[in-house]
Every structure is written in C-alpha cells, then in structure tokens.
Amino acid sequence: MASTIEVRGAADFHVHLRQGTLSSLVTPHVRAGGFSLAYVMPNLKPPITTTDMALRYKKDLIAIDPHVEYLMTLYLSPDLTPDEIRKAKKAGIIGVKSYPRGVTTNSEGGIESYEVYYPVFEAMEQEGLVLNLHGEVPSDANTNTCVLNAEEYFLPHLVSLHERFPKLRIVLEHATTRAAVEAVKSLGDTVACTITAHHLALTVDDWAGQSFHFCKPVAKYPSDRRALQDVIRQGHPRFFLGSDSAPHLVSAKSTATPGQGCAAGVYTSPVLLPLVAHLLDSFGALDKLQGFVADHGRRFYASPDTGSVRVRLYRGKSTIASVLRLGTDEVAPFWAGKELQFRIDD
C-alpha cells in the first residue's frame, strides 16, 4: 500500500466561492484543499447573468488568490441572449448554469421551462459552451414530488435536452441517485456528470436532524450512494469531481426557526483532496483518484493540465479543523473534528 500519492492538476468542476468578506475567507481554501482549478458557480446576489459581471467576479477572485485557475459561468435567466453567449465565448467564459426556481441557494430567479431558452442553447452548441444542470424539479404535493425524488423526476428533461441538442456538452451536476448514474451512462459522449465528496459519504440518515450535512440535492439511500461509488470504481470517463462545496456562516447552518430552515450546503474545499482520497480508499477506488479529480473533467471541458501543479498526499492521520475564521466570519468544514487517513504535504 503506497504511503504517498502524487496528484497532477486537481480540478474542482463545481464550487461556490460566494462574495464579499465570505469570499475572502473561502477562496484560498481551494488551493489549501489541493486544487489548482475552480469551476465557479454564478448564483450570487445578484446572480452573474452577463459576461461583464463574470469578468469582474473573476478579477475579484484573482485578487484574493491568483494561483488558482478560475473558470467562469453565467446564470441562465431571461437576460441571457444568443449574442451574450457569443460575447461570453470570446471572453473565455466556459459554461452556463441552470437552476430550477427555488430548489437551492439563491435560485429564486431560476427557470421554469427550457423551451424558451432553445435559442440560447443553440448558440451554446455552436460556440462550445457547456450547459450545467442542477438536476432537480421543485417540490409539488400534487405530483408527489419532494427532495427525495426531485432528481429522478428531472431526468426526462436531461434526456430531452440531449436529444434536442446532441452536440451541446451537458453536465448533470452533483448526482445523488442510481437513476441519475444510469441515465448519464445511457446517453452520448456529450453528457457528463459531477459527483461530490459528501454524497460519497452521506445517506438520508446522516442529514436528517444534522444541519451541517444538509445540502441540495439531499443525500439519498445507501443503494444510491453505492451507485456513485461503483461508477467511480469503474473509472467511467464521464463522471468526475464537482465538489459543490457551498460555504455558509456557522450561524446560518446551525440556526433554524419555525418559519425559516437552515442554509443548504456542505463545505468541503479546505480538505477536499485528502477527503476524496480517504473516501475512494474506503471503497477500493484509490487507484481511480487521478482520473476522478483531474483527468476526466479536464478532458470533458477541454482544459488540459500543464503538469506544473502537483500535490503530494501522504498516508497518515490528519484531523479536520472544527471551524475556520476570518475576522468575525466563521465556517465549519465537512466532518469537522474527524480524522482523515490522508494529508497534503506542507
């Protein structure tokens, strides 16, 4: 059993870096967690709906930590036009993120129907931008839809979009179910899927009553977790890491009221590479680490690694911090206080 592992060009293809002082706290954790590329989500307040907004946001992130490659995205909204897509392509914007209305953090401006966006998708297909899908539908008692089946009910939309735009690269984000894994595997090479670290660890029992494990989409059944683990163990090239690392202040995670639940999000960035190694090792997939955290995603996004950023992991116990602070802001990483079996060489 190797005592060290070298990972080349680790890339997180789904991360939330927020804004303001919280961004100053969490952005350096991308590199601290072993990653040199961050695919940045656009659900800020207000959301990143134009190329100019994305470029300003990227400038802010570079000012915080210039040693990470930031790939920027736009928020799918009525403000987005085919002309804006063409402008975004010229400016180096990589993708467009779709959020169904109201299903997750800052998704109040999310979409309700895809057909109206077909001209935008056609422009994306022509220009080579990626469509990133938050794969859930809103809860609806009339259709028996809730957080446990919202992803499975979304999958026909994924299939329909792929059939309508077969050359459009589509990523189903943060899959949580066996049904999602099988759906992506059944589709063409232009459809891929991200898997988070925390969904490789959690099931519904772990977040019921535990606010720091609560995220959207929620973790599902043990059989679903096993399906995520199995597809990584298989080394499937269209499944790769997108952490969905979503920081919230401790006060927002730990507090709920009768009228307002706790914030949805799990924060993994500070320990991401050792955490993923720990998890893959636990289900016999450590030999797939390089592909899962780097090669598969970079290949799909046509973002090759130059080979200049290498991180060495040591097999040895490390304890995750209980809380991370900057000024008065506090965030708690996933599995706070727990021991991992890997650590990054300092």
PDB file of all heavy atoms in Angstrom, residues 22 211-212 214 247-257 260-265 330:
ATOM      1  N   LEU A  22     -17.032  36.862   2.908  1.00  0.00           N
ATOM      2  CA  LEU A  22     -17.066  35.402   2.920  1.00  0.00           C
ATOM      3  C   LEU A  22     -16.187  34.846   1.801  1.00  0.00           C
ATOM      4  O   LEU A  22     -15.480  33.843   1.994  1.00  0.00           O
ATOM      5  CB  LEU A  22     -18.504  34.906   2.773  1.00  0.00           C
ATOM      6  CG  LEU A  22     -18.701  33.387   2.827  1.00  0.00           C
ATOM      7  CD1 LEU A  22     -18.125  32.794   4.102  1.00  0.00           C
ATOM      8  CD2 LEU A  22     -20.183  33.037   2.692  1.00  0.00           C
ATOM      9  N   SER A 211     -27.893  19.587  10.636  1.00  0.00           N
ATOM     10  CA  SER A 211     -27.926  20.699   9.685  1.00  0.00           C
ATOM     11  C   SER A 211     -26.632  20.851   8.894  1.00  0.00           C
ATOM     12  O   SER A 211     -26.655  21.310   7.749  1.00  0.00           O
ATOM     13  CB  SER A 211     -28.232  22.008  10.423  1.00  0.00           C
ATOM     14  OG  SER A 211     -27.219  22.316  11.367  1.00  0.00           O
ATOM     15  N   PHE A 212     -25.496  20.463   9.460  1.00  0.00           N
ATOM     16  CA  PHE A 212     -24.229  20.634   8.761  1.00  0.00           C
ATOM     17  C   PHE A 212     -24.024  19.590   7.653  1.00  0.00           C
ATOM     18  O   PHE A 212     -23.085  19.697   6.872  1.00  0.00           O
ATOM     19  CB  PHE A 212     -23.059  20.612   9.747  1.00  0.00           C
ATOM     20  CG  PHE A 212     -22.952  21.895  10.517  1.00  0.00           C
ATOM     21  CD1 PHE A 212     -23.637  22.074  11.706  1.00  0.00           C
ATOM     22  CD2 PHE A 212     -22.199  22.951  10.033  1.00  0.00           C
ATOM     23  CE1 PHE A 212     -23.555  23.265  12.407  1.00  0.00           C
ATOM     24  CE2 PHE A 212     -22.112  24.152  10.723  1.00  0.00           C
ATOM     25  CZ  PHE A 212     -22.800  24.311  11.922  1.00  0.00           C
ATOM     26  N   PHE A 214     -26.783  18.940   5.709  1.00  0.00           N
ATOM     27  CA  PHE A 214     -27.937  19.222   4.854  1.00  0.00           C
ATOM     28  C   PHE A 214     -27.512  20.054   3.663  1.00  0.00           C
ATOM     29  O   PHE A 214     -26.875  21.100   3.800  1.00  0.00           O
ATOM     30  CB  PHE A 214     -29.005  19.968   5.650  1.00  0.00           C
ATOM     31  CG  PHE A 214     -30.196  20.368   4.824  1.00  0.00           C
ATOM     32  CD1 PHE A 214     -31.037  19.408   4.291  1.00  0.00           C
ATOM     33  CD2 PHE A 214     -30.460  21.704   4.582  1.00  0.00           C
ATOM     34  CE1 PHE A 214     -32.133  19.773   3.530  1.00  0.00           C
ATOM     35  CE2 PHE A 214     -31.557  22.080   3.815  1.00  0.00           C
ATOM     36  CZ  PHE A 214     -32.392  21.117   3.288  1.00  0.00           C
ATOM     37  N   PRO A 247     -20.063  27.122   1.058  1.00  0.00           N
ATOM     38  CA  PRO A 247     -19.884  27.662   2.400  1.00  0.00           C
ATOM     39  C   PRO A 247     -21.047  28.536   2.844  1.00  0.00           C
ATOM     40  O   PRO A 247     -21.585  29.330   2.072  1.00  0.00           O
ATOM     41  CB  PRO A 247     -18.606  28.497   2.259  1.00  0.00           C
ATOM     42  CG  PRO A 247     -18.609  28.929   0.831  1.00  0.00           C
ATOM     43  CD  PRO A 247     -19.190  27.776   0.066  1.00  0.00           C
ATOM     44  N   HIS A 248     -21.423  28.352   4.086  1.00  0.00           N
ATOM     45  CA  HIS A 248     -22.360  29.246   4.763  1.00  0.00           C
ATOM     46  C   HIS A 248     -21.791  29.542   6.145  1.00  0.00           C
ATOM     47  O   HIS A 248     -21.098  28.697   6.727  1.00  0.00           O
ATOM     48  CB  HIS A 248     -23.735  28.598   4.928  1.00  0.00           C
ATOM     49  CG  HIS A 248     -24.464  28.387   3.640  1.00  0.00           C
ATOM     50  ND1 HIS A 248     -25.151  29.387   3.003  1.00  0.00           N
ATOM     51  CD2 HIS A 248     -24.616  27.271   2.877  1.00  0.00           C
ATOM     52  CE1 HIS A 248     -25.708  28.914   1.899  1.00  0.00           C
ATOM     53  NE2 HIS A 248     -25.394  27.629   1.798  1.00  0.00           N
ATOM     54  N   LEU A 249     -22.069  30.712   6.660  1.00  0.00           N
ATOM     55  CA  LEU A 249     -21.635  31.022   8.013  1.00  0.00           C
ATOM     56  C   LEU A 249     -22.219  30.018   8.998  1.00  0.00           C
ATOM     57  O   LEU A 249     -23.327  29.506   8.798  1.00  0.00           O
ATOM     58  CB  LEU A 249     -22.064  32.437   8.396  1.00  0.00           C
ATOM     59  CG  LEU A 249     -21.464  33.570   7.559  1.00  0.00           C
ATOM     60  CD1 LEU A 249     -22.000  34.917   8.046  1.00  0.00           C
ATOM     61  CD2 LEU A 249     -19.943  33.558   7.623  1.00  0.00           C
ATOM     62  N   VAL A 250     -21.461  29.732  10.048  1.00  0.00           N
ATOM     63  CA  VAL A 250     -21.915  28.785  11.061  1.00  0.00           C
ATOM     64  C   VAL A 250     -23.283  29.186  11.593  1.00  0.00           C
ATOM     65  O   VAL A 250     -24.157  28.330  11.821  1.00  0.00           O
ATOM     66  CB  VAL A 250     -20.884  28.700  12.208  1.00  0.00           C
ATOM     67  CG1 VAL A 250     -21.464  27.959  13.407  1.00  0.00           C
ATOM     68  CG2 VAL A 250     -19.608  28.013  11.724  1.00  0.00           C
ATOM     69  N   SER A 251     -23.508  30.472  11.746  1.00  0.00           N
ATOM     70  CA  SER A 251     -24.798  30.932  12.267  1.00  0.00           C
ATOM     71  C   SER A 251     -25.947  30.573  11.339  1.00  0.00           C
ATOM     72  O   SER A 251     -27.065  30.286  11.799  1.00  0.00           O
ATOM     73  CB  SER A 251     -24.764  32.449  12.474  1.00  0.00           C
ATOM     74  OG  SER A 251     -24.437  33.119  11.267  1.00  0.00           O
ATOM     75  N   ALA A 252     -25.704  30.548  10.037  1.00  0.00           N
ATOM     76  CA  ALA A 252     -26.758  30.202   9.079  1.00  0.00           C
ATOM     77  C   ALA A 252     -26.983  28.697   8.999  1.00  0.00           C
ATOM     78  O   ALA A 252     -28.086  28.245   8.685  1.00  0.00           O
ATOM     79  CB  ALA A 252     -26.409  30.744   7.696  1.00  0.00           C
ATOM     80  N   LYS A 253     -25.934  27.911   9.259  1.00  0.00           N
ATOM     81  CA  LYS A 253     -26.073  26.462   9.224  1.00  0.00           C
ATOM     82  C   LYS A 253     -26.676  25.907  10.509  1.00  0.00           C
ATOM     83  O   LYS A 253     -27.381  24.906  10.481  1.00  0.00           O
ATOM     84  CB  LYS A 253     -24.704  25.803   9.011  1.00  0.00           C
ATOM     85  CG  LYS A 253     -24.144  25.924   7.624  1.00  0.00           C
ATOM     86  CD  LYS A 253     -24.999  25.207   6.573  1.00  0.00           C
ATOM     87  CE  LYS A 253     -24.977  23.713   6.740  1.00  0.00           C
ATOM     88  NZ  LYS A 253     -25.855  23.040   5.716  1.00  0.00           N
ATOM     89  N   SER A 254     -26.384  26.530  11.625  1.00  0.00           N
ATOM     90  CA  SER A 254     -26.753  25.957  12.920  1.00  0.00           C
ATOM     91  C   SER A 254     -28.084  26.448  13.441  1.00  0.00           C
ATOM     92  O   SER A 254     -28.576  25.959  14.454  1.00  0.00           O
ATOM     93  CB  SER A 254     -25.662  26.267  13.955  1.00  0.00           C
ATOM     94  OG  SER A 254     -25.526  27.668  14.135  1.00  0.00           O
ATOM     95  N   THR A 255     -28.686  27.422  12.766  1.00  0.00           N
ATOM     96  CA  THR A 255     -29.892  28.051  13.277  1.00  0.00           C
ATOM     97  C   THR A 255     -31.050  27.880  12.316  1.00  0.00           C
ATOM     98  O   THR A 255     -30.920  28.151  11.125  1.00  0.00           O
ATOM     99  CB  THR A 255     -29.665  29.554  13.510  1.00  0.00           C
ATOM    100  OG1 THR A 255     -28.561  29.723  14.401  1.00  0.00           O
ATOM    101  CG2 THR A 255     -30.901  30.200  14.125  1.00  0.00           C
ATOM    102  N   ALA A 256     -32.167  27.399  12.825  1.00  0.00           N
ATOM    103  CA  ALA A 256     -33.415  27.353  12.078  1.00  0.00           C
ATOM    104  C   ALA A 256     -34.518  27.908  12.968  1.00  0.00           C
ATOM    105  O   ALA A 256     -34.418  27.885  14.201  1.00  0.00           O
ATOM    106  CB  ALA A 256     -33.741  25.927  11.658  1.00  0.00           C
ATOM    107  N   THR A 257     -35.555  28.429  12.340  1.00  0.00           N
ATOM    108  CA  THR A 257     -36.711  28.960  13.064  1.00  0.00           C
ATOM    109  C   THR A 257     -37.959  28.273  12.528  1.00  0.00           C
ATOM    110  O   THR A 257     -37.914  27.598  11.491  1.00  0.00           O
ATOM    111  CB  THR A 257     -36.835  30.476  12.850  1.00  0.00           C
ATOM    112  OG1 THR A 257     -37.180  30.732  11.471  1.00  0.00           O
ATOM    113  CG2 THR A 257     -35.536  31.187  13.185  1.00  0.00           C
ATOM    114  N   GLN A 260     -38.185  29.483   8.971  1.00  0.00           N
ATOM    115  CA  GLN A 260     -37.011  29.500   8.089  1.00  0.00           C
ATOM    116  C   GLN A 260     -36.064  28.371   8.456  1.00  0.00           C
ATOM    117  O   GLN A 260     -35.602  28.287   9.599  1.00  0.00           O
ATOM    118  CB  GLN A 260     -36.280  30.844   8.200  1.00  0.00           C
ATOM    119  CG  GLN A 260     -35.035  30.973   7.347  1.00  0.00           C
ATOM    120  CD  GLN A 260     -35.351  30.957   5.866  1.00  0.00           C
ATOM    121  OE1 GLN A 260     -36.229  31.693   5.412  1.00  0.00           O
ATOM    122  NE2 GLN A 260     -34.663  30.116   5.112  1.00  0.00           N
ATOM    123  N   GLY A 261     -35.771  27.504   7.487  1.00  0.00           N
ATOM    124  CA  GLY A 261     -34.850  26.416   7.755  1.00  0.00           C
ATOM    125  C   GLY A 261     -33.407  26.872   7.725  1.00  0.00           C
ATOM    126  O   GLY A 261     -33.103  28.024   7.399  1.00  0.00           O
ATOM    127  N   CYS A 262     -32.494  25.970   8.040  1.00  0.00           N
ATOM    128  CA  CYS A 262     -31.079  26.290   7.983  1.00  0.00           C
ATOM    129  C   CYS A 262     -30.633  26.378   6.524  1.00  0.00           C
ATOM    130  O   CYS A 262     -31.316  25.909   5.610  1.00  0.00           O
ATOM    131  CB  CYS A 262     -30.255  25.241   8.719  1.00  0.00           C
ATOM    132  SG  CYS A 262     -30.155  23.653   7.865  1.00  0.00           S
ATOM    133  N   ALA A 263     -29.474  26.985   6.302  1.00  0.00           N
ATOM    134  CA  ALA A 263     -28.929  27.094   4.951  1.00  0.00           C
ATOM    135  C   ALA A 263     -28.564  25.714   4.421  1.00  0.00           C
ATOM    136  O   ALA A 263     -28.121  24.833   5.166  1.00  0.00           O
ATOM    137  CB  ALA A 263     -27.701  27.997   4.949  1.00  0.00           C
ATOM    138  N   ALA A 264     -28.735  25.534   3.104  1.00  0.00           N
ATOM    139  CA  ALA A 264     -28.412  24.262   2.450  1.00  0.00           C
ATOM    140  C   ALA A 264     -27.026  24.347   1.828  1.00  0.00           C
ATOM    141  O   ALA A 264     -26.775  25.185   0.971  1.00  0.00           O
ATOM    142  CB  ALA A 264     -29.450  23.941   1.381  1.00  0.00           C
ATOM    143  N   GLY A 265     -26.132  23.475   2.261  1.00  0.00           N
ATOM    144  CA  GLY A 265     -24.794  23.469   1.692  1.00  0.00           C
ATOM    145  C   GLY A 265     -23.820  22.748   2.598  1.00  0.00           C
ATOM    146  O   GLY A 265     -23.918  22.831   3.828  1.00  0.00           O
ATOM    147  N   GLU A 330     -17.228  32.900  10.346  1.00  0.00           N
ATOM    148  CA  GLU A 330     -16.852  31.537  10.709  1.00  0.00           C
ATOM    149  C   GLU A 330     -17.573  30.544   9.795  1.00  0.00           C
ATOM    150  O   GLU A 330     -18.777  30.654   9.567  1.00  0.00           O
ATOM    151  CB  GLU A 330     -17.233  31.220  12.153  1.00  0.00           C
ATOM    152  CG  GLU A 330     -16.491  32.014  13.206  1.00  0.00           C
ATOM    153  CD  GLU A 330     -16.870  31.565  14.608  1.00  0.00           C
ATOM    154  OE1 GLU A 330     -17.970  30.972  14.760  1.00  0.00           O
ATOM    155  OE2 GLU A 330     -16.083  31.805  15.541  1.00  0.00           O
TER     156      GLU A 330
END
